[in-house]
Amino acid sequence: MVRSRQTRVLFLNDMERLERTLFRLEQGFELQFRLGPTLQGRHVQVHTNYPAEGEKFDRLKFWPLDWINPTGREDDSDKYCKLDLQVAGSYQYYFCAGNEEKTGSGYIVVDPVLRVGADNHVLPLDCIAIQTYLAKCLGPLDEWQDRLRVAKETGYNMIHFTPLQKLGMSRSCYSLADQLELNPEFSTEGKNYTWMDVDNLVEKLKKEWNMVCITDVVYNHTAANSRWLCLHPECGYNLVNSPHLKPAWVLDRALWHLTCDIADGKYSDHGVPAHIENEHQLHMLRGVLLDEIYPRTKLWEFYQVNVEKAVEQFRKLLQAGGKAVRLENEDKKRLRILPDPHCRRFGNTVDMTSALETFIPNGNEPSSIQECCNWLRNRLEELNVESYKEMHYHEEQATNCIVGNVVYERLADHGPKLGPITRNHPVVCGYFTFPFEDNLTFDQEMQLMSQTDKACHFLAHNGWVMSDDPLRNFAEPGSNVYLRRELICWGDSVKLRYGEKPEDCPYLWAHMKKYTEITAQHFAGVRLDNCHSTPLHVAEYMLERARELKPDLYVVAELFTGSEELDNVFVTRLAITSLIREAMSAGDSHEEGRLVYRFGGEPVGSFVQPSLRPLVPSIAHAMFLDVTHDNECPVQIRSAYDSLPSSAIVSMASCATGSTRGYDELVPHQISVVKEERFYPKWNSEAKPSSAGEVNSQSGIIAGKLALNKLHQELASKGFSQVYVDQVDEDIVAVTRHCPSTHQSVVAVCHTAFRNPKTYQYRQEVPPMCIPGKIEEVVLEARTVERIAGSYQKDRKSINGLPDHTLEIREHIQLHDSKIVKQDDVMCKGRSEFVQEIEFEHLSPGSVIVFRVSLDPKSQELVGVLRRHLVQFSDHYKTGSMPDNNVPAILTTTLAAIMSKVTLADMNVLLFRCDAEEQEDGGGCYNIPSWMSLKYGGLQGLMSVMGDIRPKNDLGHPFCDNLRQGDWMIDYVSNRLVIKGGALGEVGKWFQAMFTYLKCIPRYLVPCYFDSIIVGAYTTALDIVFNKMSNFIQTGSTLVKQLALGSVQMCGVGLHPALPPLAPTLRDVPYRLNGVTNEKEQCCVSLAAGLPHFAAGMVRCWGRDTFMALRGLMLVTGRHLEARNIILAFAGTLRYGLIPNLLGQGTGARYNCRDAVWWWLQCIQDYCNMVPDGVNILMCPVSRMYPTDMSQPQPAGTWIQPLYDVIHEAMTRHIQGTEFRERNAGPQIDRNMTDEGFNVEAKVNEDTGFVYGGNRFNCGTWMDKMGESDKAHNKGIPATPRDGSAVEIVGLCKSTVRWLVDLHTHGFFPYATLTILSDGRNISVPYEEWNRKIQENFEKMFYVSHNLQDPNEKHPDLVHKRGIYKDSYGASSPWCDYQLRPNFAIAMVVAPELFTVERAWEALEMAEKKLLGPLGMKTLDPDDMKYCGVYDNALDSENFNVAKGFNYHQGPEWLWPVGYFLRAKLYFAKKMGPEIYDKTVYLVKNVLSRHNIHFERSSWKGLPELTNENGQYCPFSCETQAWSIATILEVLHDL
């Protein structure tokens, strides 16, 4: 199977602690760390303890990773550091930002690679089929091979041995007497076997049988009779090193003596006989405990203070003059009690400093001291009473636990029914070892507690605690588990006490390290026994030692934490490869099927995932067992008939699977890890059913298990990675495994038998099944049947199974030969659905039938051909591909070659176009009836939806459902392009040809292959788009490229040309044939203001929006020719010295904005500066539509002027002053404006050089909201008139004048002066003088000084913030001048010479503090009384300030000003010095990262017009706005 290099990307975010998140990776993967939005721009260093090349792993040794910046630019949003993962294990990473020590961290787990066979081939983890053996039941080592052959002949490839070490006296497989010694029982007379003999056997199994061997490691306890424990009692929890356990030990001994007394009949007259049989006797036992045992032990004394002793000590201190100053608000609660470190009765003491602070005598006389001592005595007695009450609470809980234990062991039906209380079967299991004679009295035993040489041997047993925190050690101080009798105790084992590090218990750590090394030396993997109770740091240390010897150590564990998050703590810290899961945990067949789906595999028909994708959390790899070796027997819990179907369900899981020895042989009882002493049967192919010591393929379900294990391994090795589970009825489960490259399936239909068919009536009728595709064969059919072989008799020597049950099995047969299937009918649903309907005849409880299914031959061929054509996008499709013998001509050329002829203008059609644009062409965006319309008609509309569906494989999404139901969406994609003709038509034909195959494959595969086609086409289109753009874009970051797509998104050609015609003599103008008139017409690209509201028709083109966006979307991206055409087209519409606000193709233009002309002039300047030989544009011919103000629209070519003349005219009209009334003034062009608002004025102040204009009834800048509400009485009133001199217009004017002076100096502009008519005579105004006036007056008039006596300040009473720049100067409402808005930053960018550096920086800092939001800039200071940050254009109310969206520019956060703000910050930060510049770069990157995230998440793939306050979504905003994208792209260009 072809597989490309897999790369996963982990995004790092500030303060993100992911220690409880599991990230699994495979060897050979590349892991990239990238910065998330919270870290962009900060100096981040990633550290890891993954070993550097050539070095050994050291958990405590971290090293920094180097950053790789693919672009090599300051914009390093794509930078990453990486790890090439070649070594299995658990590895930690952390990262620091700046000087912070650690700002985030987590773990990654790299899976091991297992190898078997003489050729050392890989055994994939999902291929594992494991069988557990109790080592003590294998007999002498020289007989193991005969017994283990059962696993080989049953198809297992991994053996799990319980510990092979010498066992303790309990004979439990997990109670080890010596961790270093091989169990001597494996040796025979005359032959003493060693670990090397075990190693030889393991190696033989690996090479000859292709089997991996693993074994348990037990770190948490050792056998109570371990000899080394007698020599090193410090290795356990005893009364010397753990004196906090003394009260629990005292209670434990009291309970032992209670056992003796009850067994001897001493409590019979109390109603507690030795044989407890009813509730009354239990009640009496409870009374004995509470009334006699606890009072005798006086356990509360261990937590109390000797009052008289403490008071006397206090008295002496007072008499000696001891004093402490009473602190305010201190009372007697301040008294501190110090616990006795030796835990003696009345051993707790008083912190006398706190006593002196708390109890202060009124004088030095004896009576005052006595009074003070009495206060202390009373308080201590109160505290002693509290200790007594707390102990009583513990005693009640202990009583409940003791009585509950008695109920389970002696009365419960599911318990062991131990019978009478005896010394061998005590009331409760002892919690501590007592290695001395049992004839001591209770009081004599209490004396031993103070004898260190004796007390050190009273060791706490191990066990487990129901619902306890697995990360807490229940034997350590702070836990009352032993005292409250909450431990379910293993009386044969002692809990080991490691401490925190090897130095805390050197012998134990060294001993267990050697044990670990022996295990790792001889076995390929380990099972961590009792993992959830093993101290994490211990297991971590030991596994590190093991991996030093066996780098690809396979680690399995069974966890009982009850929480996936807690499971992850163990999995990530210990690098657990597989967690054991059990089918027996399922209460019914539905739950069993759900477990199959849960533990591995993708849904059938899943999408192809990219090889480079985000690293997402995963669940632990599962080892799914039909039953574990320490759980109840399925034959007893369910029925013998369920063994086969449940095994089949498990075997179909896409993960490691397995069983325990005895399950396949139908052993009808649990094989006890403690009590079982018999041996497993050996393999003998000739064995008879009655032969207890031998088994063969006729025994139990062995033959079926062999077939299932083979099938399981085949499915995993051949890539059947997709899973579907179908609940046919309440007892029948069908599991499908599907290969996504060959599209073969294997379907297992399993009739479970959780209840015995002999005693339970199952449904007679089995529902028919429809299986898509062609059934090639029945892989196997089998059912459990009875045979005559005698009834079950438990053998004394061998672990024997039910002899009277076997399998009736047939393998690899044709469907018509099946005994389970009654008949099959072939059905065709449409042209691509080939389905076989199966009717069952003998699918009885306990039956299994497995089908191998292929696509029908025609579908198989079509899928193969389709994959062959997809290889051009990825080698992934080579597997399963087939040659195309009848390849259409269009498919003989690669799509990249076809698309290379598509222009960027046509890419707008291919990739984008919203519904309004599509409707203009007579169509619309594709609508999914049960859901919604796509955002675009082009490929991005599809990609935005599929981008959400693909990572989650959300095949139930309405989008996928629509694809499965019919060809409507498929035809839409191709037909939409074919009808366009030209290069786009060729792309459409390519889609048509590909879709011809797609339409004829099974419908469940259509979504994934449709996705593959669209993704391939989309990525090809993007490559071509970027290759047609500037070098800045081609070599830019992902964010740069995303933003550059905004150029394609916004720039297009509609059905009707949006721009007026250019001069006929102008070269390189695009033409097309008009579809209606069949005449040639210009088809220049126009720039939409925003989508979806300003996309088509009259509202598409706006002068202001076009030229605010043109630099970023066209010049920065390298679309110079199209930018030139737009500049010249608008130049042709100049009238009154202004550029239209709403273009209306020129003939329907409105000249009601004062700023558009200045943005147009700024773009011409940018064109000259950014485009090679850009000044040549000044000589280009302009076809004037309105040669004079009063002209009717003139045909193209009637009046031609060079662009420099048009520029000069615009400047002249302003210096002269222009006043006019809009044509057709009235409600026909604006239904809200008052009559005065139609009067337009634009002039230049002769003293300051500032452009000014407008009036209080219109709004001639970008803040152009006109009131619309009659209810609120704001109709016809502009919210933000900004009349006078708007700061950004003054800045743009200054930029233009300065530029024209420079152009004239270099001979590119013929005019040095402007000539105006004043008082009947011509006056010359030099451009140089105009430039000077603005320069001299700007800060005088616009800067709000800190000087309260500033002579230039006309309205000091209106100043509410200082150190800022006014938003306007000379407004009709003077207070508007002083409002803090973001517009001054525009002037800073285009004319930075106007600003003093320090003043500019202070103003920008204020803007950052008050105006900067997550994505945009607040349009008004939040401190302003007019501020309202939520824009709702639909809300009509009586509120003047917000009705009908009146607050459009009074607080909502617009995105485009952020671009100018950040550019201004960067410019002036450089002037402020390197330290400030570095901080500013961090700010810029951090802000841009938020835009990056919005871009990635946006289905429109753009940046919005605005947001509500604090970045909240605004439903009335354009979803993607040209100037928003453009100005952010400009920031990156500056950066």
Side-chain angles (χ1 to χ4, degrees), residues 131-139 144 148 159-164 173-174 186 216 629-630 660-661 670-680 799:
Q131 189 175 44
T132 293
Y133 281 77
L134 307 188
K136 67 177 182 177
C137 296
L138 281 165
W144 281 27
L148 294 176
I159 290 177
H160 161 229
F161 296 102
T162 59
L164 277 64
C173 293
Y174 290 96
F186 300 155
D216 288 276
H629 63 287
D630 50 3
T660 189
R661 179 74 194 270
Q670 182 186 3
I671 303 175
S672 170
V673 297
V674 179
K675 298 177 180 177
E676 187 60 76
E677 295 293 338
R678 297 173 300 160
F679 294 162
Y680 293 118
I799 303 169

Side-chain angles (χ1 to χ4, degrees), residues 64-128:
L65 300 177
D66 295 326
W67 288 105
I68 300 167
N69 183 1
T71 66
R73 295 179 181 162
E74 184 69 60
D75 166 26
D76 55 1
S77 54
D78 277 351
K79 76 177 180 183
Y80 64 91
C81 47
K82 68 171 185 174
L83 289 173
D84 290 316
L85 303 173
Q86 305 294 341
V87 185
S90 164
Y91 305 105
Q92 198 172 3
Y93 69 88
Y94 72 86
F95 51 94
C96 314
N99 297 321
E100 297 178 46
E101 190 171 317
K102 192 183 282 189
T103 54
S105 54
Y107 286 89
I108 59 167
V109 175
V110 183
D111 287 337
V113 174
L114 299 177
R115 295 182 180 276
V116 292
D119 58 351
N120 218 28
H121 64 268
V122 172
L123 174 65
L125 298 183
D126 288 344
C127 278
I128 290 172

Side-chain angles (χ1 to χ4, degrees), residues 1420-1432:
L1420 181 62
D1421 181 357
D1423 297 334
D1424 195 293
M1425 58 188 244
K1426 296 285 186 183
Y1427 173 84
C1428 178
V1430 178
Y1431 172 59
D1432 187 343

Side-chain angles (χ1 to χ4, degrees), residues 1130-1131 1133-1139 1154 1156-1162 1164 1184 1189 1201-1218 1242-1244 1251 1293 1296-1297 1299-1300 1309 1311 1314 1316 1327 1330:
F1130 271 90
T1133 64
L1134 188 81
R1135 199 177 199 181
Y1136 314 111
L1138 300 176
I1139 288 294
R1154 292 177 280 123
V1157 67
W1158 298 106
W1159 285 107
W1160 172 71
L1161 288 163
Q1162 181 65 38
I1164 301 172
R1184 293 294 296 276
D1189 292 349
Q1201 282 180 288
L1203 180 59
Y1204 62 76
D1205 275 349
V1206 184
I1207 293 170
H1208 185 60
E1209 179 182 331
M1211 303 301 287
T1212 302
R1213 293 301 299 273
H1214 277 80
I1215 205 82
Q1216 176 72 59
T1218 184
K1243 299 179 179 179
V1244 175
V1251 177
C1293 174
T1296 301
V1297 175
W1299 169 59
L1300 293 175
F1309 188 68
Y1311 304 102
L1314 303 109
I1316 60 172
Y1327 277 106
W1330 190 0

Side-chain angles (χ1 to χ4, degrees), residues 27 73 99 314 331 382 687 949-950 1055 1201 1451 1476 1512:
Q27 292 181 48
R73 295 179 181 162
N99 297 321
F314 182 61
D331 58 20
E382 287 176 10
I949 296 172
R950 190 184 310 109
L1055 181 65
Q1201 282 180 288
I1476 287 179
Q1512 295 176 47

Side-chain angles (χ1 to χ4, degrees), residues 1231-1255:
R1231 69 175 187 269
N1232 296 312
M1233 191 176 280
T1234 59
D1235 189 66
E1236 296 96 321
F1238 293 106
N1239 299 326
V1240 180
E1241 176 187 21
K1243 299 179 179 179
V1244 175
N1245 184 293
E1246 61 183 42
D1247 295 324
T1248 62
F1250 296 170
V1251 177
Y1252 72 92
N1255 62 52

